[in-house]
C-alpha cells in the first residue's frame, strides 16, 4: 500500500472517530448550511457529510468549510471523477460514496481527497481491502443485512472497519456501535427536513447532543 493511501486512510479514520455519528445531510437551501453545521458542532457532532443530491450541495460545502469552526465537512453521494474534483475544490475534507466502481476507485486515486467507499457484501469489502481501503461505508445498512450480517463479517474480515449507514435511527444506533467492526454510524435523523426548513437549530443541536453521547467501543 502506498504511503499516500495510508495517509488518506488515516485521515478517514480520524474523521470517523470524531464522534459516534456522522451527520448525513441533504440541503435544499444554501443559507441553511452554516447554521445547521454550527448546531451540529455545538451538539458534539463535528463530522458532517453533505450529500451531492441537490443543486446547492457544493456551495453549501464551501460555505461550511469556510465559515464553521471545528467542523469536518465531507461530500456524500460521490459518483464519478467530476464529483471528486468538485468536492475537493469546494473544500471538502473527505468523500463518501454509496458503493464503488473501478472508474470511481481510479478517480479516488487521482484525487487528494480522503475517500470512504461503499460496500454491502463480503466480496465488495474484500475488493476494497485489496485496493487499500481499511475503512468502508456499509450501505444500505439495514436493507443489506443489518446488525447480524455486519457482525458476521468481523471474524473473517478483521482488518476492515465500517461506518454503517442507511436505515439506522437514534433508537437502533447503539446496536450498531456495539459491533467490533463498526467505528461510527451515518445518521440522517439528526437533521430532519421539518426542523431544517423551520430553522430550528436549537432542536438540531439537542439531537446532536444525544447522538454524541452514544458510545462506540470501536
Amino acid at each position: 500500500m502506498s504511503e499516500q493511501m495510508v495517509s488518506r486512510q488515516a485521515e478517514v479514520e480520524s474523521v470517523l472517530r470524531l464522534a459516534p455519528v456522522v451527520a448525513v445531510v441533504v440541503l435544499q437551501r444554501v443559507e441553511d448550511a452554516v447554521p445547521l453545521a454550527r448546531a451540529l458542532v455545538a451538539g458534539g457532532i463535528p463530522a458532517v457529510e453533505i450529500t451531492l443530491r441537490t443543486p446547492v450541495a457544493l456551495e453549501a460545502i464551501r460555505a461550511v468549510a469556510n465559515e464553521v469552526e471545528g467542523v469536518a465537512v465531507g461530500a456524500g453521494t460521490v459518483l464519478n471523477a467530476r464529483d471528486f474534483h468538485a468536492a475537493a475544490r469546494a473544500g471538502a475534507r473527505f468523500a463518501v460514496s454509496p458503493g464503488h466502481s473501478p472508474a470511481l476507485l481510479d478517480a479516488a486515486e487521482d484525487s487528494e481527497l480522503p475517500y470512504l467507499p461503499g460496500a454491502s457484501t463480503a466480496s465488495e469489502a474484500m475488493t476494497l481491502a485489496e485496493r487499500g481501503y481499511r475503512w468502508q461505508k456499509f450501505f444500505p445498512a439495514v436493507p443489506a443485512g443489518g446488525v447480524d450480517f455486519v457482525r458476521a463479517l468481523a471474524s473473517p474480515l478483521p482488518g476492515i472497519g465500517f461506518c454503517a449507514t442507511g436505515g439506522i435511527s437514534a433508537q437502533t444506533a447503539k446496536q450498531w456501535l456495539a459491533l467490533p467492526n463498526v467505528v461510527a454510524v451515518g445518521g440522517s435523523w439528526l437533521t430532519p427536513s421539518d426542523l431544517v426548513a423551520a430553522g430550528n437549530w436549537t432542536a438540531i443541536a439537542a439531537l446532536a447532543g444525544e447522538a454524541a453521547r452514544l458510545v462506540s467501543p470501536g
Side-chain angles (χ1 to χ4, degrees), residues 4 8 84-85 88 93 107-115:
Q4 191 175 47
R8 290 175 184 172
F84 264 106
H85 299 319
R93 275 187 55 182
E109 291 181 5
D110 290 336
S111 172
E112 294 297 319
L113 208 55
Y115 175 44

PDB file of all heavy atoms in Angstrom, residues 4 8 84-85 88 93 107-115:
ATOM      1  N   GLN A   4       0.746   7.351   0.363  1.00  0.00           N
ATOM      2  CA  GLN A   4      -0.368   8.268   0.132  1.00  0.00           C
ATOM      3  C   GLN A   4      -1.689   7.636   0.567  1.00  0.00           C
ATOM      4  O   GLN A   4      -2.507   8.275   1.231  1.00  0.00           O
ATOM      5  CB  GLN A   4      -0.422   8.654  -1.342  1.00  0.00           C
ATOM      6  CG  GLN A   4      -1.362   9.804  -1.657  1.00  0.00           C
ATOM      7  CD  GLN A   4      -1.276  10.208  -3.104  1.00  0.00           C
ATOM      8  OE1 GLN A   4      -1.306   9.387  -4.010  1.00  0.00           O
ATOM      9  NE2 GLN A   4      -1.149  11.512  -3.346  1.00  0.00           N
ATOM     10  N   ARG A   8      -4.195   8.872   3.571  1.00  0.00           N
ATOM     11  CA  ARG A   8      -5.601   9.188   3.327  1.00  0.00           C
ATOM     12  C   ARG A   8      -6.525   8.350   4.196  1.00  0.00           C
ATOM     13  O   ARG A   8      -7.532   8.846   4.711  1.00  0.00           O
ATOM     14  CB  ARG A   8      -5.928   8.967   1.851  1.00  0.00           C
ATOM     15  CG  ARG A   8      -5.289   9.972   0.906  1.00  0.00           C
ATOM     16  CD  ARG A   8      -5.580   9.592  -0.524  1.00  0.00           C
ATOM     17  NE  ARG A   8      -4.909  10.470  -1.460  1.00  0.00           N
ATOM     18  CZ  ARG A   8      -4.864  10.263  -2.766  1.00  0.00           C
ATOM     19  NH1 ARG A   8      -5.459   9.196  -3.287  1.00  0.00           N
ATOM     20  NH2 ARG A   8      -4.231  11.101  -3.565  1.00  0.00           N
ATOM     21  N   PHE A  84     -15.611  14.059  -7.443  1.00  0.00           N
ATOM     22  CA  PHE A  84     -14.402  14.138  -6.626  1.00  0.00           C
ATOM     23  C   PHE A  84     -13.736  15.501  -6.763  1.00  0.00           C
ATOM     24  O   PHE A  84     -13.414  16.156  -5.776  1.00  0.00           O
ATOM     25  CB  PHE A  84     -13.401  13.048  -7.041  1.00  0.00           C
ATOM     26  CG  PHE A  84     -13.459  11.812  -6.199  1.00  0.00           C
ATOM     27  CD1 PHE A  84     -14.021  10.656  -6.690  1.00  0.00           C
ATOM     28  CD2 PHE A  84     -12.958  11.809  -4.906  1.00  0.00           C
ATOM     29  CE1 PHE A  84     -14.080   9.505  -5.922  1.00  0.00           C
ATOM     30  CE2 PHE A  84     -13.011  10.665  -4.122  1.00  0.00           C
ATOM     31  CZ  PHE A  84     -13.568   9.511  -4.633  1.00  0.00           C
ATOM     32  N   HIS A  85     -13.518  15.914  -7.997  1.00  0.00           N
ATOM     33  CA  HIS A  85     -12.808  17.173  -8.230  1.00  0.00           C
ATOM     34  C   HIS A  85     -13.611  18.362  -7.714  1.00  0.00           C
ATOM     35  O   HIS A  85     -13.054  19.296  -7.114  1.00  0.00           O
ATOM     36  CB  HIS A  85     -12.508  17.327  -9.715  1.00  0.00           C
ATOM     37  CG  HIS A  85     -11.644  16.233 -10.276  1.00  0.00           C
ATOM     38  ND1 HIS A  85     -10.565  15.720  -9.581  1.00  0.00           N
ATOM     39  CD2 HIS A  85     -11.699  15.548 -11.449  1.00  0.00           C
ATOM     40  CE1 HIS A  85      -9.994  14.765 -10.296  1.00  0.00           C
ATOM     41  NE2 HIS A  85     -10.663  14.640 -11.431  1.00  0.00           N
ATOM     42  N   ALA A  88     -13.462  18.476  -3.865  1.00  0.00           N
ATOM     43  CA  ALA A  88     -12.157  18.958  -3.400  1.00  0.00           C
ATOM     44  C   ALA A  88     -12.048  20.469  -3.571  1.00  0.00           C
ATOM     45  O   ALA A  88     -11.572  21.179  -2.671  1.00  0.00           O
ATOM     46  CB  ALA A  88     -11.039  18.252  -4.153  1.00  0.00           C
ATOM     47  N   ARG A  93     -13.349  17.805   3.195  1.00  0.00           N
ATOM     48  CA  ARG A  93     -12.223  17.098   3.819  1.00  0.00           C
ATOM     49  C   ARG A  93     -12.215  15.613   3.506  1.00  0.00           C
ATOM     50  O   ARG A  93     -11.212  14.939   3.692  1.00  0.00           O
ATOM     51  CB  ARG A  93     -12.259  17.295   5.335  1.00  0.00           C
ATOM     52  CG  ARG A  93     -11.593  18.574   5.807  1.00  0.00           C
ATOM     53  CD  ARG A  93     -11.513  18.638   7.310  1.00  0.00           C
ATOM     54  NE  ARG A  93     -10.850  17.479   7.912  1.00  0.00           N
ATOM     55  CZ  ARG A  93     -10.703  17.297   9.233  1.00  0.00           C
ATOM     56  NH1 ARG A  93     -11.171  18.211  10.052  1.00  0.00           N
ATOM     57  NH2 ARG A  93     -10.097  16.233   9.703  1.00  0.00           N
ATOM     58  N   ALA A 107     -10.635   7.262  -9.939  1.00  0.00           N
ATOM     59  CA  ALA A 107     -10.777   8.692  -9.694  1.00  0.00           C
ATOM     60  C   ALA A 107     -10.317   9.052  -8.292  1.00  0.00           C
ATOM     61  O   ALA A 107      -9.683  10.091  -8.072  1.00  0.00           O
ATOM     62  CB  ALA A 107     -12.231   9.117  -9.895  1.00  0.00           C
ATOM     63  N   ALA A 108     -10.613   8.181  -7.331  1.00  0.00           N
ATOM     64  CA  ALA A 108     -10.193   8.434  -5.955  1.00  0.00           C
ATOM     65  C   ALA A 108      -8.675   8.450  -5.841  1.00  0.00           C
ATOM     66  O   ALA A 108      -8.106   9.251  -5.087  1.00  0.00           O
ATOM     67  CB  ALA A 108     -10.786   7.377  -5.025  1.00  0.00           C
ATOM     68  N   GLU A 109      -8.027   7.556  -6.558  1.00  0.00           N
ATOM     69  CA  GLU A 109      -6.561   7.507  -6.505  1.00  0.00           C
ATOM     70  C   GLU A 109      -5.937   8.736  -7.140  1.00  0.00           C
ATOM     71  O   GLU A 109      -4.816   9.131  -6.783  1.00  0.00           O
ATOM     72  CB  GLU A 109      -6.072   6.232  -7.185  1.00  0.00           C
ATOM     73  CG  GLU A 109      -6.408   4.971  -6.403  1.00  0.00           C
ATOM     74  CD  GLU A 109      -5.901   3.712  -7.069  1.00  0.00           C
ATOM     75  OE1 GLU A 109      -5.205   3.822  -8.097  1.00  0.00           O
ATOM     76  OE2 GLU A 109      -6.191   2.610  -6.552  1.00  0.00           O
ATOM     77  N   ASP A 110      -6.648   9.360  -8.070  1.00  0.00           N
ATOM     78  CA  ASP A 110      -6.148  10.576  -8.722  1.00  0.00           C
ATOM     79  C   ASP A 110      -6.483  11.830  -7.936  1.00  0.00           C
ATOM     80  O   ASP A 110      -6.034  12.922  -8.284  1.00  0.00           O
ATOM     81  CB  ASP A 110      -6.736  10.697 -10.132  1.00  0.00           C
ATOM     82  CG  ASP A 110      -6.190   9.649 -11.083  1.00  0.00           C
ATOM     83  OD1 ASP A 110      -5.081   9.146 -10.813  1.00  0.00           O
ATOM     84  OD2 ASP A 110      -6.863   9.335 -12.069  1.00  0.00           O
ATOM     85  N   SER A 111      -7.291  11.699  -6.898  1.00  0.00           N
ATOM     86  CA  SER A 111      -7.708  12.839  -6.087  1.00  0.00           C
ATOM     87  C   SER A 111      -6.934  12.861  -4.780  1.00  0.00           C
ATOM     88  O   SER A 111      -6.513  11.823  -4.271  1.00  0.00           O
ATOM     89  CB  SER A 111      -9.215  12.748  -5.801  1.00  0.00           C
ATOM     90  OG  SER A 111      -9.619  13.723  -4.863  1.00  0.00           O
ATOM     91  N   GLU A 112      -6.749  14.035  -4.231  1.00  0.00           N
ATOM     92  CA  GLU A 112      -6.116  14.174  -2.921  1.00  0.00           C
ATOM     93  C   GLU A 112      -7.108  13.962  -1.787  1.00  0.00           C
ATOM     94  O   GLU A 112      -6.728  13.912  -0.619  1.00  0.00           O
ATOM     95  CB  GLU A 112      -5.496  15.572  -2.790  1.00  0.00           C
ATOM     96  CG  GLU A 112      -4.341  15.837  -3.733  1.00  0.00           C
ATOM     97  CD  GLU A 112      -3.168  14.900  -3.474  1.00  0.00           C
ATOM     98  OE1 GLU A 112      -2.867  14.639  -2.301  1.00  0.00           O
ATOM     99  OE2 GLU A 112      -2.568  14.428  -4.458  1.00  0.00           O
ATOM    100  N   LEU A 113      -8.382  13.817  -2.122  1.00  0.00           N
ATOM    101  CA  LEU A 113      -9.436  13.757  -1.118  1.00  0.00           C
ATOM    102  C   LEU A 113      -9.499  12.380  -0.462  1.00  0.00           C
ATOM    103  O   LEU A 113      -9.625  11.371  -1.158  1.00  0.00           O
ATOM    104  CB  LEU A 113     -10.770  14.065  -1.785  1.00  0.00           C
ATOM    105  CG  LEU A 113     -11.895  14.698  -0.970  1.00  0.00           C
ATOM    106  CD1 LEU A 113     -11.424  15.986  -0.303  1.00  0.00           C
ATOM    107  CD2 LEU A 113     -13.089  14.956  -1.870  1.00  0.00           C
ATOM    108  N   PRO A 114      -9.402  12.290   0.859  1.00  0.00           N
ATOM    109  CA  PRO A 114      -9.606  11.014   1.537  1.00  0.00           C
ATOM    110  C   PRO A 114     -10.993  10.464   1.205  1.00  0.00           C
ATOM    111  O   PRO A 114     -11.965  11.220   1.122  1.00  0.00           O
ATOM    112  CB  PRO A 114      -9.482  11.370   3.017  1.00  0.00           C
ATOM    113  CG  PRO A 114      -8.618  12.584   3.037  1.00  0.00           C
ATOM    114  CD  PRO A 114      -9.012  13.353   1.814  1.00  0.00           C
ATOM    115  N   TYR A 115     -11.075   9.147   1.039  1.00  0.00           N
ATOM    116  CA  TYR A 115     -12.274   8.550   0.463  1.00  0.00           C
ATOM    117  C   TYR A 115     -12.787   7.397   1.309  1.00  0.00           C
ATOM    118  O   TYR A 115     -12.015   6.522   1.719  1.00  0.00           O
ATOM    119  CB  TYR A 115     -11.932   8.069  -0.947  1.00  0.00           C
ATOM    120  CG  TYR A 115     -13.007   7.317  -1.688  1.00  0.00           C
ATOM    121  CD1 TYR A 115     -14.332   7.730  -1.687  1.00  0.00           C
ATOM    122  CD2 TYR A 115     -12.673   6.176  -2.436  1.00  0.00           C
ATOM    123  CE1 TYR A 115     -15.301   7.032  -2.394  1.00  0.00           C
ATOM    124  CE2 TYR A 115     -13.639   5.471  -3.151  1.00  0.00           C
ATOM    125  CZ  TYR A 115     -14.949   5.909  -3.124  1.00  0.00           C
ATOM    126  OH  TYR A 115     -15.904   5.215  -3.825  1.00  0.00           O
TER     127      TYR A 115
END
